[in-house]
Amino acid sequence: MQYNFKEFFETHHWSMVIDAVLLILVLAVIICFFVYKRNVRALFLLLLGGVLDVIVNVLAEILGHSALEIARYVTHFIVVFDIVAACVVYQNDLKNIFQKVSSARSLELHNSNEELRASTMEILTACQDMAKQDVGAIIIIDSLGDIHDNILDTGTRLDAVLSAPLLESIFNTKAPLHDGAVIVRGNRIIAAGCFLTLTQRNVNKEMGTRHRAAIGITEETDVLSIVVSEETGIISVVKHGEIKRYMTMDKLNDEIEIAYGISPSIIATRDTQTKKKHKNNRFL
């Protein structure tokens, strides 16, 4: 069987093709959003309302324009309700998306590898000390500048040089900022006492608000969250919504170095790419 594409495009108006492409793109974006948020049930309900609206409208056209008039109004408002409900439930996510679009920027950290390694040791020391004393803490390493001002403004701006004593003093239970998160960029503490959006996923009952906050921020941004449990002293790390518990100092060191981009494998890859660029430039 041979397809006559010329006849197809002559008989079908271009607007139909454009409508179909736009509809597919919109559906793809919606599906990706809900899959990323790991809430397929909400996606199913939203799509169900849309499919029901389409079916009712198609039947109304087949049976006559005046048919199913009440049903068309009801399904139309169901779709509107679904959209409004999704906007309310995910308002923080939508706010973050629009902020990223309006103020897209990439943060360049002007720290040497030695400074970042020193900062890594300071974080390790602080986490080890706080774990031994059962002091709760949540430290966010934001190497790419993904944390926006609306989160930083919930806490207190510090812009101070990172050190173990400073971290331990911030999370001291008698300190005013101990309940929130510390945001770290490079070798500096940008803010402390910051409040983060909690994850909507079901998590282990042993994990409290700090863990839910650590998971929530990594679902929205490309950061590394470090959590010290106040109840058990267990150290956990979270990235891309996935939590790893019972971290040893060696494992925690590896995670921080990866977040800072100073792990041996990352440095080796970076050096190889640099050499390739220089080699290619020689032949130009």
Side-chain angles (χ1 to χ4, degrees):
M1 180 183 290
Q2 292 184 345
Y3 292 96
N4 191 333
F5 291 102
K6 182 178 180 182
E7 182 181 348
F8 173 82
F9 286 111
E10 286 177 351
T11 55
H12 293 78
H13 199 271
W14 275 104
S15 62
M16 293 176 60
V17 178
I18 295 173
D19 284 342
V21 171
L22 288 176
L23 179 61
I24 292 171
L25 288 175
V26 170
L27 287 174
V29 170
I30 293 173
I31 290 172
C32 289
F33 176 79
F34 282 100
V35 170
Y36 177 75
K37 298 303 295 181
R38 293 179 175 83
N39 198 341
V40 181
R41 285 181 295 181
L43 171 63
F44 175 75
L45 290 174
L46 187 63
L47 292 180
L48 183 62
V51 170
L52 187 62
D53 186 45
V54 171
I55 292 174
V56 169
N57 278 279
V58 170
L59 288 175
E61 289 295 328
I62 295 173
L63 299 174
H65 189 68
S66 59
L68 303 175
E69 188 171 350
I70 295 177
R72 278 188 294 156
Y73 276 111
V74 171
T75 54
H76 173 71
F77 283 112
I78 287 175
V79 172
V80 173
F81 173 79
D82 283 346
I83 294 173
V84 172
C87 290
V88 171
V89 173
Y90 295 103
Q91 58 179 318
N92 289 327
D93 302 289
L94 295 172
K95 188 196 304 181
N96 287 333
I97 290 172
F98 285 119
Q99 284 182 337
K100 283 184 178 180
V101 172
S102 62
S103 61
R105 69 195 191 281
S106 60
L107 182 70
E108 292 186 5
L109 298 176
H110 301 287
N111 297 120
S112 65
N113 289 351
E114 288 72 22
E115 288 175 325
L116 294 177
R117 287 195 182 93
S119 298
T120 299
M121 293 306 300
E122 295 293 332
I123 296 173
L124 289 173
T125 301
C127 289
Q128 190 173 39
D129 291 343
M130 290 186 290
K132 289 178 180 178
Q133 300 169 23
D134 290 334
V135 174
I138 175 170
I139 302 169
I140 310 298
I141 299 180
D142 180 29
S143 298
L144 300 178
D146 277 354
I147 302 292
H148 286 273
D149 290 342
N150 66 310
I151 293 178
L152 297 177
D153 291 339
T154 63
T156 301
R157 304 267 187 154
L158 296 180
D159 194 22
V161 176
L162 189 155
S163 68
L166 179 54
L167 285 173
E168 292 176 41
S169 64
I170 289 173
F171 289 113
N172 186 300
T173 53
K174 295 181 180 179
L177 302 178
H178 77 279
D179 276 336
V182 162
I183 311 299
V184 172
R185 288 176 184 161
N187 66 340
R188 304 193 73 81
I189 296 177
I190 303 301
C194 298
F195 291 96
L196 312 176
T197 304
L198 305 183
T199 181
Q200 300 301 312
R201 293 160 50 192
N202 292 325
V203 299
N204 192 317
K205 292 182 180 179
E206 294 180 4
M207 295 185 285
T209 305
R210 283 193 180 91
H211 293 85
R212 295 182 65 85
I215 295 171
I217 191 65
T218 62
E219 290 174 337
E220 300 172 356
T221 56
D222 188 13
V223 299
L224 177 71
S225 298
I226 304 171
V227 184
V228 180
S229 174
E230 185 176 359
E231 290 76 19
T232 62
I234 295 171
I235 301 175
S236 308
V237 296
V238 191
K239 192 163 187 178
H240 304 309
E242 300 298 328
I243 187 167
K244 298 178 183 178
R245 305 187 70 195
Y246 303 99
M247 300 297 293
T248 63
M249 288 299 103
D250 289 338
K251 291 181 179 179
L252 183 58
N253 179 78
D254 293 340
E255 294 289 345
I256 297 173
E257 286 188 346
I258 291 172
Y260 273 143
I262 58 172
S263 68
S265 60
I266 293 177
I267 292 175
T269 302
R270 191 185 302 148
D271 290 342
T272 302
Q273 292 175 345
T274 303
K275 289 178 181 178
K276 286 183 179 179
K277 286 182 180 179
H278 287 311
K279 187 176 181 180
N280 292 333
N281 290 334
R282 290 178 183 177
F283 293 101
L284 293 177

